Amino acid sequence: MVREIMRDPKFLAQKSTPATEKDKQVAQDLLDTLAAHRSECVGMAANMIGIKKTIIAVTVGFFNVAMINPKIVAKSGEFKTEEGCLSLTGMRPCLRYTDIEVEYLDMNFQPQHKKYSGWTAQIIQHEIDHCNGIII
């Protein structure tokens, strides 16, 4: 189900709680909402649809992927950049890494460990920041 985008900075600044298998529909709603906003958005966190769970959805190539309870376990290639956000207006400076390794659960709650680089790595970092209450 496509959900409304949360734009309240006070809500977005709250840290999300870990997701459980009961939150599988939240992950699906996040994927549906990301697909509905594909012309303006390449990633979302569950708090962007008003749910404080640690779930993100990211466009990886031609596909949208849900990551449940993602954690960056390695990173390299630090750089400074500016990013915008569907939930907020304007651009903000931030620190990112060109290469990351992420552990997460997929939609079937199976553990995954993958490496990402470039634009996809940047999107994942932005969405994980959302889960941690970091406003970008």
Side-chain angles (χ1 to χ4, degrees):
M1 174 172 75
V2 176
R3 300 221 183 190
E4 188 174 329
I5 301 300
M6 170 61 66
R7 300 186 189 280
D8 178 3
K10 289 181 183 176
F11 181 87
L12 295 169
Q14 297 175 41
K15 190 169 180 168
S16 297
T17 59
T20 67
E21 288 193 49
K22 294 178 186 175
D23 299 309
K24 191 171 185 174
Q25 186 59 50
V26 174
Q28 186 58 57
D29 289 353
L30 197 56
L31 288 168
D32 294 345
T33 306
L34 178 59
H37 290 274
R38 70 178 148 256
S39 66
E40 58 196 332
C41 188
V42 291
M44 286 188 169
N47 65 353
M48 293 175 66
I49 60 170
I51 301 167
K52 291 188 292 184
K53 290 292 182 172
T54 307
I55 305 171
I56 67 173
V58 178
T59 301
V60 179
F62 294 105
F63 301 98
N64 291 336
V65 176
M67 297 181 179
I68 299 165
N69 299 326
K71 290 185 178 142
I72 296 171
V73 296
K75 56 191 175 186
S76 64
E78 181 180 303
F79 70 99
K80 293 180 182 179
T81 189
E82 286 189 346
E83 295 175 355
C85 181
L86 183 64
S87 290
L88 305 164
T89 58
M91 299 289 282
R92 290 163 189 77
C94 57
L95 182 68
R96 295 289 181 234
Y97 297 87
T98 56
D99 300 291
I100 61 172
E101 288 184 43
V102 183
E103 291 180 351
Y104 64 95
L105 301 173
D106 64 20
M107 286 291 285
N108 296 313
F109 281 78
Q110 295 302 305
Q112 303 293 321
H113 181 108
K114 296 193 177 179
K115 295 179 181 182
Y116 296 94
S117 60
W119 180 236
T120 302
Q122 187 174 345
I123 298 165
I124 292 168
Q125 291 168 81
H126 179 104
E127 303 315 329
I128 289 175
D129 277 355
H130 266 295
C131 293
N132 290 321
I134 299 168
I135 295 186
I136 296 297

